[in-house]
Amino acid sequence: MEVADAPIRVQSIAQEDRKVVVPPEYIQPPENRPSKLGNGNATDHKIPMIDLGGDKDVNLLCEEIGRACREWGAFHVANHGVPIALLDEIRKAGTSFFEELPMAEKLRYSCDPNSPASEGYGSRMLVASDDAVLDWRDFFDHHTFPLSRRHLSRWPHSPPNYREVIAEYSDQMKVLAEKLLGLISTSLGLSSSFIEEAMGELYQNITISYYPSCPQPELTLGLQSHSDMGFITLLIQDKVAGLQVSKDGEWVTVDPVSHAILVILGDQTEHRAITNANRARLSVATFHDPAKTMSVSPAFKPPRYRQVIYGDYVSSWYTKGPNGKRNIDALLI
């Protein structure tokens, strides 16, 4: 944690008196602005909802998951085994940090601005260069697995239960991620342990993102178009819509579902976040990745993608920036 020359946070900009325009560094080029492809759901496009509870036949469940993976690369899960109260608690803890702590206190937890994906409070996670357009977002990134990376002293102490909530949420997300990876493996005709074994030791980060209200949402993005790097991302939102996924050339808004968890397949799914003129928005994304020393290669022959060391893949992603494209396309043979 460090405080380096009082770094600028989006929340501070949004709270300036009589702010009616956004600074130019946050204005997206015309082709990337939210109005380009529309902001709402197409009438026949809706993220699939998959029920993990009850006595559903495993083969039917895997068939549902396989179809959602092929057609969307994202789906909601209900009856997932994570206590609903815990989902509410982490949303409440994140909101309390961003909206109730003084800025000087929040800046005590600032991440290293010169180190990609460093733990802590920041604003520039997906920025590849100093002249890149900035996202209208602040965040707090937590390193949670392996347990050797989990340093609670680096996390906020307010609200009083913040650290305990993050730790419990982390444990629950790991269990769910491993269950889902098993079901996805089975849906591909592989052994249920295939993906988990290919991943090796699981690395997990939890990023709480805060998107302040924006005076010109038609010009900005809360989070630029990108795809995630790792195996699987589990995400929850508050009641304010803003997450969008790319589907058949359109941006489809993912409606918030308070009791459900959104599953995003790493590099298979382009997504972004739009901003809102009247309300701030909060989301919690839990990323599950392989160790950086792991060699990742296709499970099926003939391969369509080159083998890669995951750490090299991550470095390339941060060096070039997301540019709205699926990162895996760079590995096509």
Side-chain angles (χ1 to χ4, degrees), residues 11-310:
Q11 190 175 10
S12 296
I13 298 172
Q15 290 173 342
E16 290 179 8
D17 291 340
R18 295 181 297 279
K19 174 65 71 178
V20 294
V21 296
V22 300
E25 59 266 30
Y26 293 91
I27 297 177
Q28 294 288 332
E31 64 272 16
N32 292 344
R33 293 174 188 172
S35 58
K36 183 67 177 176
L37 291 177
N39 292 338
N41 288 354
T43 56
D44 57 347
H45 281 172
K46 194 172 183 66
I47 293 287
M49 173 71 76
I50 297 177
D51 191 338
L52 299 182
D55 299 322
K56 184 181 294 185
D57 181 84
V58 173
N59 292 326
L60 292 177
L61 178 59
C62 289
E63 184 179 320
E64 278 189 74
I65 288 176
R67 183 166 55 252
C69 290
R70 290 189 302 272
E71 296 180 0
W72 281 87
F75 53 93
H76 277 122
V77 289
N79 293 314
H80 37 66
V82 181
I84 303 304
L86 182 60
L87 305 186
D88 294 336
E89 281 294 327
I90 196 167
R91 283 187 283 246
K92 181 179 178 181
T95 300
S96 178
F97 171 80
F98 284 104
E99 295 187 351
E100 297 177 12
L101 262 64
M103 181 58 68
E105 177 67 15
K106 288 190 287 228
L107 289 174
R108 290 183 53 222
Y109 299 97
S110 292
C111 57
D112 182 352
N114 299 311
S115 177
S118 65
E119 187 169 33
Y121 174 51
S123 294
R124 295 170 58 96
M125 184 179 288
L126 300 187
V127 177
S129 63
D130 289 340
D131 60 352
V133 178
L134 301 181
D135 295 325
W136 193 262
R137 174 187 81 136
D138 296 330
F139 65 85
F140 199 111
D141 190 46
H142 313 74
H143 295 176
T144 45
F145 273 103
L147 290 177
S148 58
R149 301 170 69 235
R150 188 185 290 187
H151 301 293
L152 274 65
S153 62
R154 299 176 183 173
W155 302 350
H157 67 278
S158 180
N161 66 341
Y162 186 101
R163 296 172 178 177
E164 290 74 17
V165 168
I166 298 294
E168 174 63 17
Y169 188 81
S170 166
D171 294 342
Q172 293 278 350
M173 288 294 107
K174 180 175 182 288
V175 171
L176 178 58
E178 290 171 343
K179 177 179 180 177
L180 288 165
L181 290 175
L183 292 169
I184 292 170
S185 290
T186 302
S187 77
L188 291 168
L190 303 168
S191 69
S192 61
S193 62
F194 186 91
I195 295 179
E196 189 173 345
E197 290 172 357
M199 183 165 56
E201 186 173 29
L202 179 145
Y203 276 64
Q204 183 196 73
N205 282 24
I206 296 176
T207 301
I208 302 179
S209 294
Y210 184 80
Y211 304 89
S213 58
C214 178
Q216 294 178 294
E218 72 280 3
L219 300 180
T220 61
L221 286 173
L223 193 58
Q224 62 190 287
S225 174
H226 69 286
S227 56
D228 298 336
M229 293 175 287
F231 276 105
I232 194 170
T233 301
L234 304 178
L235 184 142
I236 63 172
Q237 309 184 71
D238 63 9
K239 297 179 180 180
V240 181
L243 177 66
Q244 296 184 326
V245 299
S246 178
K247 169 68 171 171
D248 299 333
E250 296 184 358
W251 287 107
V252 180
T253 299
V254 181
D255 294 330
V257 183
S258 62
H259 66 279
I261 295 172
L262 181 70
V263 181
I264 300 174
L265 296 187
D267 270 318
Q268 300 304 306
T269 313
E270 274 190 53
H271 52 287
R272 69 181 187 180
I274 59 174
T275 58
N276 187 296
N278 302 310
R279 301 177 66 184
R281 174 176 171 266
L282 183 131
S283 68
V284 183
T286 308
F287 304 94
H288 299 89
D289 305 341
K292 291 185 178 179
T293 56
M294 289 296 294
S295 177
V296 182
S297 60
F300 300 103
K301 308 298 181 183
R304 294 181 57 198
Y305 299 89
R306 291 183 289 107
Q307 182 173 319
V308 67
I309 301 298
Y310 185 65

